Amino acid sequence: LPISLRLSAENFLLAAMAINPDQVRRGGTDPGSQGLIRLTAPDGTVSLPAFQFGGDGQPLPVVAAINRLLDADDDPWGVADWWLGPNARIDAVPAEMIGRLADEVLVEVARAVLEED
C-alpha cells in the first residue's frame, strides 16, 4: 500500500475504542496473551481494541478464537481491520455483530478469509 493509505488505515484502527495494557492487567488478563490484538502506534503507545473484552474485562472467547485463527500475533493490523471494517459476507462490521450473530457464524466468516488466500 502507498504510505498515505497505510497511515490512513492505521489511524482508522487506532481511533477505535481501545484500552491500554495496564487496564487489561487490572481486568485480570495478561495483555500479551495469544489471541489478543495489540496495536502499536507510531509513538510506541500500545492499545488493545476494546471490542475484544466483555463487561467483566475478560477477553471474549469467540474474539480470542478468531484472533488466533487469523493469526493476530503475526498480523495485528490486518486482524483489527477484519474486525473493524465492513464485511460483505454479513453486510456488517464483525465487531459490531459480537453477541448479535451466533459465534459459529463469526468463526465461519473468519474462516472464509483463510480460504480466499
Side-chain angles (χ1 to χ4, degrees):
L1 284 176
I3 194 157
S4 60
L5 284 179
R6 186 177 55 79
L7 291 175
S8 178
E10 286 179 5
N11 288 337
F12 165 75
L13 296 173
L14 289 170
M17 191 179 321
I19 58 178
N20 66 46
D22 288 337
Q23 292 169 306
V24 174
R25 274 188 214 91
R26 282 196 294 276
T29 299
D30 176 359
S33 297
Q34 184 185 26
L36 290 178
I37 297 169
R38 292 170 295 283
L39 301 176
T40 304
D43 68 2
T45 304
V46 175
S47 63
L48 292 90
F51 71 81
Q52 301 179 99
F53 302 93
D56 61 358
Q58 294 298 302
L60 296 168
V62 68
V63 174
I66 290 172
N67 288 349
R68 285 190 297 272
L69 178 70
L70 297 179
D71 199 9
D73 286 340
D74 189 51
D75 183 15
W77 294 98
V79 178
D81 184 60
W82 182 85
W83 278 108
L84 295 168
N87 185 294
R89 289 182 182 269
I90 56 173
D91 196 29
V93 173
E96 294 173 0
M97 300 310 292
I98 297 167
R100 295 170 68 192
L101 278 180
D103 291 352
E104 299 79 27
V105 172
L106 285 171
V107 171
E108 284 306 311
V109 172
R111 263 201 193 100
V113 171
L114 301 176
E115 294 166 5
E116 292 168 2
D117 290 341

